[in-house]
Amino acid sequence: MNALTSVQREAERIHASVTLKDVKRSIVICFLAWTFAVYDFILFANLLPVISDELDWTSARATGINTWVTAGTAVVALMVGPFVDRFGRRAGIVGCVVGAAIASLLTWFGGYAAGAIGTAGIVLLVLIRALAGVGYSEQAVNATYLNEMFAHVYTDEKSIRRRGFLFSIVQGGWPVGAVLAALSIYILEPIGGWELCFVVAVFPAIFMLFAARRLKESPVFVARRRIAELAAEGRAEEAAELARLTGQDHIEHKAGLGGLFRGPSLRATVSLSAAFLLNWLGILAFAFQGTLILVNGKEVSFTGALEVLIVSNAAGFLGYLFHGWLGDRINRRTTIFVGWLISACCFTIMVLGPAGNFPLLVSAYAVGTFFLIGPYAAVLFFTGESFPVETRATGSSFINSLGQVGAIIGGALFTATLSAAGSGSQEQADAWIRSGLIWGCLPILLSAFAILFSRNVQPISSTGERSGVSPIADVPSPG
Protein backbone atom coordinates (compact mmCIF):
# COMPACT_ATOMS: atom_id res chain seq x y z
CA MET A 1 0.00 0.00 0.00
CA ASN A 2 2.87 2.36 0.83
CA ALA A 3 4.42 1.60 -2.54
CA LEU A 4 1.21 2.55 -4.33
CA THR A 5 0.97 5.75 -2.28
CA SER A 6 4.52 6.56 -3.36
CA VAL A 7 3.52 5.95 -6.97
CA GLN A 8 0.59 8.34 -6.55
CA ARG A 9 2.92 11.05 -5.28
CA GLU A 10 5.25 10.39 -8.20
CA ALA A 11 2.35 10.73 -10.66
CA GLU A 12 1.37 14.05 -9.06
CA ARG A 13 4.97 15.26 -9.35
CA ILE A 14 5.12 14.34 -13.02
CA HIS A 15 1.84 16.08 -13.70
CA ALA A 16 2.92 19.24 -11.86
CA SER A 17 6.34 19.35 -13.56
CA VAL A 18 4.96 21.12 -16.64
CA THR A 19 2.68 24.16 -16.57
CA LEU A 20 0.88 26.16 -19.23
CA LYS A 21 3.68 28.73 -19.05
CA ASP A 22 6.24 26.02 -19.80
CA VAL A 23 4.26 24.92 -22.85
CA LYS A 24 3.96 28.47 -24.18
CA ARG A 25 7.72 28.87 -23.77
CA SER A 26 8.27 25.61 -25.63
CA ILE A 27 6.18 26.90 -28.56
CA VAL A 28 8.43 29.95 -28.94
CA ILE A 29 11.67 28.01 -28.59
CA CYS A 30 10.60 25.27 -31.01
CA PHE A 31 9.53 27.90 -33.56
CA LEU A 32 12.89 29.66 -33.41
CA ALA A 33 14.84 26.41 -33.45
CA TRP A 34 12.99 25.24 -36.56
CA THR A 35 13.35 28.64 -38.27
CA PHE A 36 17.13 28.65 -37.96
CA ALA A 37 17.37 24.96 -38.88
CA VAL A 38 15.42 25.68 -42.08
CA TYR A 39 17.64 28.67 -42.84
CA ASP A 40 20.70 26.43 -42.90
CA PHE A 41 18.95 23.49 -44.54
CA ILE A 42 17.44 25.37 -47.49
CA LEU A 43 20.30 27.79 -48.03
CA PHE A 44 22.48 25.28 -49.87
CA ALA A 45 19.89 24.48 -52.54
CA ASN A 46 19.01 28.15 -53.04
CA LEU A 47 22.68 29.01 -53.52
CA LEU A 48 23.34 26.15 -55.93
CA PRO A 49 23.22 28.44 -59.00
CA VAL A 50 25.85 30.74 -57.43
CA ILE A 51 28.03 27.87 -56.17
CA SER A 52 27.77 26.12 -59.54
CA ASP A 53 28.92 29.23 -61.40
CA GLU A 54 31.83 29.78 -59.04
CA LEU A 55 33.01 26.16 -59.20
CA ASP A 56 32.10 25.72 -62.88
CA TRP A 57 29.59 22.90 -62.33
CA THR A 58 27.08 21.92 -65.01
CA SER A 59 23.38 21.77 -64.11
CA ALA A 60 23.49 17.97 -64.15
CA ARG A 61 26.50 17.89 -61.82
CA ALA A 62 24.92 20.39 -59.45
CA THR A 63 21.74 18.36 -59.11
CA GLY A 64 23.84 15.19 -58.76
CA ILE A 65 25.79 16.68 -55.86
CA ASN A 66 22.55 17.86 -54.28
CA THR A 67 21.26 14.28 -54.55
CA TRP A 68 24.26 12.94 -52.62
CA VAL A 69 23.76 15.65 -50.00
CA THR A 70 20.13 14.60 -49.68
CA ALA A 71 21.15 10.94 -49.29
CA GLY A 72 23.45 11.82 -46.41
CA THR A 73 20.71 13.96 -44.88
CA ALA A 74 18.31 11.01 -44.92
CA VAL A 75 20.78 8.73 -43.13
CA VAL A 76 21.48 11.29 -40.43
CA ALA A 77 17.77 12.12 -39.99
CA LEU A 78 16.94 8.42 -39.59
CA MET A 79 19.24 8.16 -36.56
CA VAL A 80 17.61 11.04 -34.69
CA GLY A 81 14.30 9.29 -33.87
CA PRO A 82 15.66 6.34 -31.87
CA PHE A 83 17.92 8.77 -29.99
CA VAL A 84 14.94 10.93 -29.01
CA ASP A 85 12.82 7.93 -27.97
CA ARG A 86 15.64 6.72 -25.74
CA PHE A 87 17.13 9.90 -24.27
CA GLY A 88 14.22 12.32 -24.37
CA ARG A 89 12.50 14.98 -26.44
CA ARG A 90 14.42 17.85 -24.86
CA ALA A 91 17.78 16.24 -25.65
CA GLY A 92 16.64 15.81 -29.25
CA ILE A 93 15.80 19.49 -29.66
CA VAL A 94 19.15 20.60 -28.22
CA GLY A 95 20.99 18.09 -30.43
CA CYS A 96 19.23 19.32 -33.57
CA VAL A 97 20.15 22.93 -32.79
CA VAL A 98 23.82 22.05 -32.23
CA GLY A 99 23.97 19.91 -35.37
CA ALA A 100 22.53 22.65 -37.57
CA ALA A 101 25.04 25.17 -36.19
CA ILE A 102 28.00 22.88 -36.87
CA ALA A 103 26.78 22.16 -40.40
CA SER A 104 26.51 25.90 -41.12
CA LEU A 105 29.94 26.70 -39.72
CA LEU A 106 31.70 23.99 -41.73
CA THR A 107 29.91 24.53 -45.05
CA TRP A 108 32.12 27.43 -46.06
CA PHE A 109 35.19 25.23 -45.54
CA GLY A 110 33.61 22.42 -47.57
CA GLY A 111 32.94 24.81 -50.44
CA TYR A 112 36.53 26.01 -50.35
CA ALA A 113 37.77 22.41 -50.39
CA ALA A 114 35.48 21.54 -53.32
CA GLY A 115 37.08 24.28 -55.38
CA ALA A 116 40.65 23.64 -54.23
CA ILE A 117 41.04 19.85 -54.32
CA GLY A 118 38.30 18.70 -56.68
CA THR A 119 36.55 15.39 -56.06
CA ALA A 120 37.89 14.88 -52.54
CA GLY A 121 36.68 18.36 -51.62
CA ILE A 122 33.25 17.66 -53.07
CA VAL A 123 33.03 14.49 -50.94
CA LEU A 124 33.91 16.55 -47.87
CA LEU A 125 31.26 19.13 -48.77
CA VAL A 126 28.65 16.38 -49.15
CA LEU A 127 29.54 14.91 -45.74
CA ILE A 128 29.29 18.32 -44.10
CA ARG A 129 25.95 19.09 -45.68
CA ALA A 130 24.67 15.63 -44.70
CA LEU A 131 25.02 16.76 -41.09
CA ALA A 132 22.24 19.24 -41.87
CA GLY A 133 19.94 16.21 -41.59
CA VAL A 134 20.04 16.81 -37.84
CA GLY A 135 18.55 20.25 -38.37
CA TYR A 136 16.01 18.86 -40.82
CA SER A 137 14.87 16.43 -38.10
CA GLU A 138 13.93 19.39 -35.91
CA GLN A 139 10.39 19.35 -37.32
CA ALA A 140 9.86 15.68 -36.44
CA VAL A 141 11.22 16.20 -32.93
CA ASN A 142 9.06 19.30 -32.50
CA ALA A 143 5.96 17.39 -33.61
CA THR A 144 6.66 14.60 -31.12
CA TYR A 145 7.48 16.93 -28.26
CA LEU A 146 4.64 19.42 -28.74
CA ASN A 147 2.08 16.68 -29.35
CA GLU A 148 2.81 15.38 -25.87
CA MET A 149 3.10 18.81 -24.26
CA PHE A 150 -0.19 19.99 -25.75
CA ALA A 151 -1.95 16.82 -24.60
CA HIS A 152 -0.77 17.60 -21.07
CA VAL A 153 -2.21 21.13 -20.72
CA TYR A 154 -4.72 21.67 -23.53
CA THR A 155 -7.35 19.20 -22.32
CA ASP A 156 -10.73 20.95 -22.60
CA GLU A 157 -12.69 20.71 -25.84
CA LYS A 158 -12.00 24.30 -26.86
CA SER A 159 -8.24 24.10 -26.42
CA ILE A 160 -8.05 20.65 -28.03
CA ARG A 161 -9.38 22.29 -31.17
CA ARG A 162 -6.46 24.73 -31.12
CA ARG A 163 -3.63 22.21 -30.90
CA GLY A 164 -3.12 21.89 -34.64
CA PHE A 165 -3.24 25.65 -35.13
CA LEU A 166 -0.66 26.22 -32.40
CA PHE A 167 1.63 23.67 -34.00
CA SER A 168 1.12 25.36 -37.38
CA ILE A 169 2.67 28.52 -35.90
CA VAL A 170 5.75 26.52 -34.95
CA GLN A 171 5.90 24.79 -38.32
CA GLY A 172 5.63 28.22 -39.91
CA GLY A 173 9.33 28.48 -39.21
CA TRP A 174 9.83 26.77 -42.58
CA PRO A 175 8.74 29.70 -44.81
CA VAL A 176 10.18 32.20 -42.33
CA GLY A 177 13.53 30.43 -42.47
CA ALA A 178 13.30 30.20 -46.26
CA VAL A 179 12.62 33.93 -46.56
CA LEU A 180 15.52 34.70 -44.20
CA ALA A 181 17.72 32.51 -46.40
CA ALA A 182 16.66 34.41 -49.52
CA LEU A 183 17.16 37.77 -47.81
CA SER A 184 20.61 36.75 -46.60
CA ILE A 185 21.57 35.94 -50.20
CA TYR A 186 20.36 39.38 -51.24
CA ILE A 187 22.28 41.16 -48.47
CA LEU A 188 25.28 39.01 -47.53
CA GLU A 189 26.29 37.29 -50.77
CA PRO A 190 27.35 40.55 -52.50
CA ILE A 191 29.36 41.49 -49.40
CA GLY A 192 31.22 38.30 -48.53
CA GLY A 193 30.20 35.66 -51.05
CA TRP A 194 27.94 32.68 -50.49
CA GLU A 195 30.16 31.43 -47.65
CA LEU A 196 29.19 34.38 -45.44
CA CYS A 197 25.52 33.34 -45.57
CA PHE A 198 26.39 30.08 -43.79
CA VAL A 199 28.78 31.60 -41.26
CA VAL A 200 26.13 34.09 -40.10
CA ALA A 201 23.74 31.20 -39.35
CA VAL A 202 25.93 30.06 -36.47
CA PHE A 203 25.19 33.06 -34.25
CA PRO A 204 21.41 32.60 -33.76
CA ALA A 205 22.05 28.88 -33.23
CA ILE A 206 24.30 29.70 -30.27
CA PHE A 207 21.47 31.74 -28.76
CA MET A 208 19.06 28.86 -29.37
CA LEU A 209 21.35 26.43 -27.60
CA PHE A 210 21.05 28.42 -24.38
CA ALA A 211 17.31 28.99 -24.84
CA ALA A 212 16.65 25.27 -25.36
CA ARG A 213 18.11 24.54 -21.92
CA ARG A 214 14.94 26.11 -20.43
CA LEU A 215 12.72 23.50 -22.03
CA LYS A 216 10.95 21.05 -19.74
CA GLU A 217 10.94 17.37 -20.64
CA SER A 218 7.65 15.97 -21.89
CA PRO A 219 5.69 14.51 -18.93
CA VAL A 220 4.45 11.74 -21.22
CA PHE A 221 8.04 10.66 -21.89
CA VAL A 222 9.01 10.99 -18.22
CA ALA A 223 6.06 8.84 -17.18
CA ARG A 224 6.71 6.20 -19.83
CA ARG A 225 10.40 5.98 -18.91
CA ARG A 226 9.55 5.56 -15.22
CA ILE A 227 6.92 2.91 -16.01
CA ALA A 228 9.52 0.96 -17.99
CA GLU A 229 11.97 1.22 -15.08
CA LEU A 230 9.41 -0.11 -12.60
CA ALA A 231 8.51 -2.98 -14.93
CA ALA A 232 12.19 -3.85 -15.40
CA GLU A 233 12.60 -3.99 -11.61
CA GLY A 234 9.74 -6.49 -11.36
CA ARG A 235 7.38 -3.98 -9.75
CA ALA A 236 4.53 -4.72 -12.14
CA GLU A 237 1.72 -3.54 -9.84
CA GLU A 238 3.38 -0.16 -9.32
CA ALA A 239 4.09 0.18 -13.04
CA ALA A 240 0.44 -0.51 -13.84
CA GLU A 241 -0.72 2.02 -11.24
CA LEU A 242 1.62 4.72 -12.51
CA ALA A 243 0.40 4.02 -16.05
CA ARG A 244 -3.20 4.42 -14.90
CA LEU A 245 -2.53 7.63 -12.99
CA THR A 246 -0.59 9.26 -15.85
CA GLY A 247 -2.95 8.17 -18.60
CA GLN A 248 -0.53 5.73 -20.21
CA ASP A 249 -1.20 2.51 -22.04
CA HIS A 250 0.27 -0.19 -19.79
CA ILE A 251 0.72 -2.46 -22.80
CA GLU A 252 4.34 -1.99 -23.76
CA HIS A 253 4.81 -1.53 -27.50
CA LYS A 254 8.00 -2.71 -29.15
CA ALA A 255 10.44 0.17 -29.40
CA GLY A 256 12.89 0.95 -32.18
CA LEU A 257 12.46 0.68 -35.93
CA GLY A 258 11.01 -2.84 -35.61
CA GLY A 259 8.04 -1.47 -33.68
CA LEU A 260 7.01 0.61 -36.69
CA PHE A 261 6.13 -2.50 -38.67
CA ARG A 262 3.97 -4.25 -36.06
CA GLY A 263 0.36 -3.95 -35.00
CA PRO A 264 -1.54 -0.72 -35.64
CA SER A 265 1.72 1.16 -36.37
CA LEU A 266 2.23 -0.75 -39.63
CA ARG A 267 -0.57 1.00 -41.52
CA ALA A 268 0.60 4.43 -40.38
CA THR A 269 4.20 3.64 -41.30
CA VAL A 270 3.39 2.45 -44.82
CA SER A 271 0.82 5.07 -45.79
CA LEU A 272 2.59 8.09 -44.29
CA SER A 273 5.96 6.98 -45.64
CA ALA A 274 4.54 6.69 -49.16
CA ALA A 275 2.92 10.13 -48.88
CA PHE A 276 6.11 11.75 -47.58
CA LEU A 277 8.31 10.08 -50.16
CA LEU A 278 6.13 11.10 -53.09
CA ASN A 279 5.46 14.61 -51.82
CA TRP A 280 9.14 15.29 -51.34
CA LEU A 281 9.75 14.81 -55.04
CA GLY A 282 7.55 17.88 -55.38
CA ILE A 283 9.29 19.63 -52.49
CA LEU A 284 12.64 19.07 -54.20
CA ALA A 285 11.30 20.33 -57.51
CA PHE A 286 9.60 23.49 -56.31
CA ALA A 287 10.87 24.39 -52.82
CA PHE A 288 14.55 23.53 -53.26
CA GLN A 289 15.13 23.66 -57.00
CA GLY A 290 12.50 26.28 -57.70
CA THR A 291 15.20 28.82 -58.55
CA LEU A 292 16.74 26.41 -61.07
CA ILE A 293 13.40 25.68 -62.78
CA LEU A 294 12.52 29.37 -62.98
CA VAL A 295 15.97 30.46 -64.18
CA ASN A 296 16.63 27.62 -66.62
CA GLY A 297 13.12 26.77 -67.75
CA LYS A 298 10.96 29.89 -67.48
CA GLU A 299 13.37 32.70 -68.50
CA VAL A 300 13.35 34.31 -65.05
CA SER A 301 16.53 35.98 -63.75
CA PHE A 302 18.18 34.64 -60.60
CA THR A 303 17.21 37.84 -58.77
CA GLY A 304 13.64 37.46 -60.00
CA ALA A 305 13.61 33.84 -58.87
CA LEU A 306 14.58 34.91 -55.36
CA GLU A 307 11.74 37.43 -55.37
CA VAL A 308 9.33 34.66 -56.34
CA LEU A 309 10.67 32.52 -53.49
CA ILE A 310 10.12 35.31 -50.97
CA VAL A 311 6.53 35.89 -52.12
CA SER A 312 5.71 32.18 -52.27
CA ASN A 313 7.17 31.44 -48.85
CA ALA A 314 5.20 34.29 -47.34
CA ALA A 315 2.16 32.56 -48.80
CA GLY A 316 3.49 29.29 -47.40
CA PHE A 317 3.49 30.71 -43.87
CA LEU A 318 -0.18 31.64 -44.23
CA GLY A 319 -0.70 28.15 -45.64
CA TYR A 320 0.62 26.63 -42.42
CA LEU A 321 -1.77 28.66 -40.31
CA PHE A 322 -4.72 27.86 -42.57
CA HIS A 323 -4.09 24.11 -42.72
CA GLY A 324 -3.40 23.91 -38.99
CA TRP A 325 -6.68 25.69 -38.32
CA LEU A 326 -8.61 23.62 -40.86
CA GLY A 327 -7.20 20.34 -39.56
CA ASP A 328 -8.57 21.15 -36.10
CA ARG A 329 -12.05 21.73 -37.50
CA ILE A 330 -12.52 18.93 -40.00
CA ASN A 331 -9.74 16.38 -39.74
CA ARG A 332 -6.05 16.41 -40.59
CA ARG A 333 -6.16 13.63 -43.18
CA THR A 334 -8.77 15.36 -45.35
CA THR A 335 -6.98 18.69 -44.94
CA ILE A 336 -3.74 17.21 -46.23
CA PHE A 337 -5.44 15.51 -49.18
CA VAL A 338 -7.23 18.64 -50.40
CA GLY A 339 -4.16 20.85 -49.97
CA TRP A 340 -1.81 18.65 -51.97
CA LEU A 341 -4.43 18.09 -54.67
CA ILE A 342 -4.76 21.85 -55.24
CA SER A 343 -0.97 22.29 -55.10
CA ALA A 344 -0.44 19.77 -57.91
CA CYS A 345 -2.85 21.73 -60.11
CA CYS A 346 -1.18 25.09 -59.38
CA PHE A 347 2.34 23.91 -60.13
CA THR A 348 1.11 22.31 -63.34
CA ILE A 349 -0.16 25.73 -64.41
CA MET A 350 3.19 27.26 -63.52
CA VAL A 351 5.22 24.66 -65.40
CA LEU A 352 3.07 24.70 -68.53
CA GLY A 353 2.46 28.47 -68.52
CA PRO A 354 4.23 30.80 -70.98
CA ALA A 355 7.87 31.56 -70.21
CA GLY A 356 8.58 35.08 -69.06
CA ASN A 357 5.03 35.73 -67.81
CA PHE A 358 6.16 36.89 -64.38
CA PRO A 359 2.71 37.67 -62.87
CA LEU A 360 1.40 34.21 -63.79
CA LEU A 361 4.52 32.49 -62.49
CA VAL A 362 4.40 34.38 -59.19
CA SER A 363 0.69 33.68 -58.68
CA ALA A 364 0.87 29.97 -59.55
CA TYR A 365 4.04 29.46 -57.52
CA ALA A 366 2.71 31.29 -54.48
CA VAL A 367 -0.63 29.44 -54.42
CA GLY A 368 1.12 26.15 -55.17
CA THR A 369 3.48 26.69 -52.23
CA PHE A 370 0.54 27.66 -50.00
CA PHE A 371 -1.03 24.25 -50.61
CA LEU A 372 2.22 22.26 -50.85
CA ILE A 373 4.02 23.12 -47.63
CA GLY A 374 0.97 24.40 -45.69
CA PRO A 375 -0.42 20.89 -45.10
CA TYR A 376 2.79 19.93 -43.30
CA ALA A 377 1.40 21.79 -40.29
CA ALA A 378 -1.26 19.09 -40.25
CA VAL A 379 0.73 16.10 -41.50
CA LEU A 380 3.55 16.33 -38.95
CA PHE A 381 1.12 16.67 -36.04
CA PHE A 382 -0.97 13.90 -37.60
CA THR A 383 2.14 11.69 -37.71
CA GLY A 384 2.79 12.27 -34.01
CA GLU A 385 -0.79 11.25 -33.24
CA SER A 386 -0.43 8.02 -35.24
CA PHE A 387 2.21 6.27 -33.09
CA PRO A 388 2.46 5.17 -29.42
CA VAL A 389 4.92 6.94 -27.14
CA GLU A 390 7.63 4.23 -27.38
CA THR A 391 8.03 4.80 -31.13
CA ARG A 392 6.56 8.27 -31.57
CA ALA A 393 9.87 10.02 -32.27
CA THR A 394 11.22 7.02 -34.19
CA GLY A 395 8.10 6.90 -36.36
CA SER A 396 8.09 10.64 -36.98
CA SER A 397 11.81 10.70 -37.81
CA PHE A 398 11.59 7.59 -39.99
CA ILE A 399 8.78 9.07 -42.07
CA ASN A 400 10.54 12.42 -42.08
CA SER A 401 13.72 10.79 -43.42
CA LEU A 402 11.75 9.06 -46.17
CA GLY A 403 10.89 12.52 -47.38
CA GLN A 404 14.60 12.84 -48.08
CA VAL A 405 14.54 9.48 -49.86
CA GLY A 406 11.89 11.00 -52.10
CA ALA A 407 14.18 13.95 -52.69
CA ILE A 408 17.01 11.52 -53.56
CA ILE A 409 14.84 9.76 -56.11
CA GLY A 410 13.68 13.11 -57.46
CA GLY A 411 17.27 14.35 -57.70
CA ALA A 412 18.31 11.23 -59.59
CA LEU A 413 15.36 11.58 -61.98
CA PHE A 414 16.07 15.28 -62.55
CA THR A 415 19.75 14.52 -63.17
CA ALA A 416 18.94 11.71 -65.62
CA THR A 417 16.46 13.87 -67.53
CA LEU A 418 18.87 16.81 -67.77
CA SER A 419 21.78 14.57 -68.75
CA ALA A 420 19.74 12.94 -71.52
CA ALA A 421 18.78 16.31 -72.99
CA GLY A 422 20.87 18.04 -75.60
CA SER A 423 23.37 20.72 -74.68
CA GLY A 424 21.48 23.53 -76.42
CA SER A 425 19.82 26.19 -74.27
CA GLN A 426 16.32 25.41 -75.60
CA GLU A 427 16.82 21.67 -75.10
CA GLN A 428 17.94 22.24 -71.53
CA ALA A 429 14.99 24.58 -70.89
CA ASP A 430 12.59 21.93 -72.21
CA ALA A 431 14.25 19.33 -69.99
CA TRP A 432 13.68 21.48 -66.91
CA ILE A 433 10.01 21.94 -67.80
CA ARG A 434 9.57 18.22 -68.48
CA SER A 435 11.25 17.33 -65.18
CA GLY A 436 9.09 19.75 -63.22
CA LEU A 437 5.90 18.31 -64.68
CA ILE A 438 6.71 14.60 -64.44
CA TRP A 439 8.94 14.50 -61.36
CA GLY A 440 7.29 17.39 -59.47
CA CYS A 441 3.60 17.85 -60.23
CA LEU A 442 2.68 14.17 -60.67
CA PRO A 443 4.25 12.95 -57.39
CA ILE A 444 2.47 15.71 -55.45
CA LEU A 445 -0.82 14.49 -56.91
CA LEU A 446 -0.03 10.87 -55.99
CA SER A 447 0.98 11.86 -52.45
CA ALA A 448 -2.46 13.39 -51.93
CA PHE A 449 -4.10 10.05 -52.61
CA ALA A 450 -1.49 8.11 -50.59
CA ILE A 451 -2.45 9.99 -47.42
CA LEU A 452 -6.00 8.64 -47.70
CA PHE A 453 -4.74 5.13 -46.86
CA SER A 454 -3.70 6.23 -43.35
CA ARG A 455 -5.99 5.91 -40.33
CA ASN A 456 -8.05 8.98 -39.57
CA VAL A 457 -6.75 9.28 -35.99
CA GLN A 458 -8.31 11.80 -33.64
CA PRO A 459 -6.63 14.05 -31.05
CA ILE A 460 -6.82 13.07 -27.39
CA SER A 461 -10.11 14.18 -25.89
CA SER A 462 -10.53 15.99 -22.59
CA THR A 463 -12.10 12.88 -21.10
CA GLY A 464 -9.56 10.43 -22.44
CA GLU A 465 -12.21 8.74 -24.57
CA ARG A 466 -9.68 7.87 -27.20
CA SER A 467 -8.05 5.28 -24.99
CA GLY A 468 -10.37 5.16 -21.99
CA VAL A 469 -7.88 6.82 -19.63
CA SER A 470 -6.89 10.29 -18.51
CA PRO A 471 -6.26 13.32 -20.73
CA ILE A 472 -2.55 12.71 -21.30
CA ALA A 473 -3.16 9.29 -22.82
CA ASP A 474 -1.40 8.87 -26.11
CA VAL A 475 -2.40 5.59 -27.71
CA PRO A 476 -3.83 6.06 -31.23
CA SER A 477 -7.51 5.29 -31.57
CA PRO A 478 -8.78 2.74 -34.07
CA GLY A 479 -9.01 4.11 -37.58
Side-chain angles (χ1 to χ4, degrees):
M1 184 67 180
N2 289 336
L4 294 182
T5 302
S6 176
V7 167
Q8 185 175 9
R9 287 197 298 267
E10 187 165 15
E12 293 172 352
R13 178 184 59 80
I14 291 173
H15 182 76
S17 65
V18 172
T19 65
L20 179 60
K21 181 178 179 180
D22 294 323
V23 175
K24 290 180 177 179
R25 181 188 297 119
S26 71
I27 292 173
V28 175
I29 293 175
C30 287
F31 168 79
L32 293 174
W34 177 227
T35 297
F36 296 125
V38 170
Y39 173 91
D40 166 77
F41 183 70
I42 205 170
L43 196 60
F44 183 75
N46 283 353
L47 281 169
L48 261 182
V50 176
I51 298 173
S52 298
D53 288 342
E54 183 175 312
L55 300 179
D56 198 26
W57 291 344
T58 64
S59 294
R61 186 171 194 181
T63 54
I65 290 172
N66 198 42
T67 299
W68 282 108
V69 169
T70 305
T73 299
V75 173
V76 172
L78 185 61
M79 296 186 294
V80 172
F83 173 87
V84 175
D85 276 329
R86 181 171 183 178
F87 296 103
R89 315 327 191 190
R90 179 178 175 276
I93 292 174
V94 173
C96 288
V97 169
V98 173
I102 294 175
S104 291
L105 182 63
L106 294 180
T107 297
W108 70 270
F109 177 73
Y112 172 79
I117 58 178
T119 301
I122 291 175
V123 172
L124 178 61
L125 177 61
V126 168
L127 292 175
I128 291 172
R129 290 311 306 164
L131 185 60
V134 177
Y136 167 72
S137 296
E138 182 73 51
Q139 63 178 344
V141 179
N142 282 349
T144 299
Y145 177 65
L146 293 177
N147 217 308
E148 295 175 352
M149 294 291 276
F150 289 174
H152 185 67
V153 299
Y154 298 128
T155 57
D156 63 275
E157 292 299 328
K158 184 178 179 179
S159 61
I160 285 174
R161 292 173 66 86
R162 292 202 309 266
R163 290 182 191 172
F165 178 75
L166 289 172
F167 180 76
S168 73
I169 297 174
V170 175
Q171 191 60 23
W174 175 282
V176 173
V179 169
L180 288 177
L183 289 175
S184 74
I185 296 173
Y186 261 132
I187 299 171
L188 301 176
E189 195 272 335
I191 298 174
W194 62 266
E195 297 91 343
L196 181 61
C197 300
F198 287 101
V199 173
V200 167
V202 176
F203 296 100
I206 295 174
F207 164 76
M208 286 308 307
L209 179 60
F210 286 98
R213 295 173 61 185
R214 300 190 64 190
L215 290 173
K216 295 287 187 68
E217 183 56 271
S218 157
V220 173
F221 176 81
V222 172
R224 173 52 60 181
R225 182 169 54 186
R226 181 57 181 155
I227 291 167
E229 290 173 353
L230 291 172
E233 295 170 3
R235 299 157 66 181
E237 186 180 2
E238 295 171 56
E241 178 65 7
L242 183 59
R244 184 187 69 81
L245 292 172
T246 57
Q248 301 289 308
D249 177 15
H250 188 47
I251 300 174
E252 187 172 350
H253 299 272
K254 183 175 177 60
L257 290 173
L260 303 183
F261 298 92
R262 289 177 170 82
S265 294
L266 176 61
R267 180 177 171 183
T269 300
V270 173
S271 58
L272 291 171
S273 294
F276 258 70
L277 188 150
L278 289 165
N279 194 259
W280 262 85
L281 270 76
I283 291 287
L284 174 79
F286 300 114
F288 291 149
Q289 294 186 165
T291 53
L292 295 175
I293 292 177
L294 292 170
V295 171
N296 296 303
K298 306 306 293 183
E299 300 179 6
V300 176
S301 67
F302 179 64
T303 300
L306 290 178
E307 292 173 353
V308 173
L309 285 178
I310 292 173
V311 172
S312 63
N313 279 286
F317 178 78
L318 297 177
Y320 278 125
L321 300 182
F322 171 76
H323 288 90
W325 171 85
L326 185 63
D328 283 332
R329 276 149 185 78
I330 50 175
N331 63 74
R332 307 197 207 288
R333 187 178 66 178
T334 302
T335 297
I336 298 160
F337 168 74
V338 173
W340 285 347
L341 187 65
I342 296 174
S343 176
C345 296
C346 291
F347 282 121
T348 299
I349 293 172
M350 188 204 83
V351 170
L352 296 180
N357 189 331
F358 196 74
L360 175 64
L361 295 176
V362 172
S363 300
Y365 200 20
V367 178
T369 303
F370 180 96
F371 287 106
L372 175 63
I373 68 173
Y376 277 87
V379 76
L380 287 163
F381 207 70
F382 180 70
T383 300
E385 293 172 332
S386 298
F387 293 95
V389 63
E390 292 90 345
T391 57
R392 181 166 293 142
T394 300
S396 295
S397 294
F398 176 79
I399 292 168
N400 201 37
S401 68
L402 283 185
Q404 292 295 278
V405 174
I408 294 168
I409 296 172
L413 294 172
F414 263 84
T415 301
T417 304
L418 294 171
S419 299
S423 57
S425 59
Q426 186 58 50
E427 292 171 311
Q428 282 290 305
D430 291 341
W432 277 104
I433 296 302
R434 188 164 56 252
S435 297
L437 183 64
I438 300 174
W439 312 130
C441 299
L442 181 59
I444 294 173
L445 179 64
L446 294 176
S447 70
F449 288 96
I451 203 71
L452 294 179
F453 289 93
S454 61
R455 291 183 304 141
N456 192 22
V457 296
Q458 300 297 321
I460 304 162
S461 73
S462 62
T463 59
E465 292 175 357
R466 204 177 76 175
S467 59
V469 286
S470 70
I472 65 171
D474 50 64
V475 183
S477 65

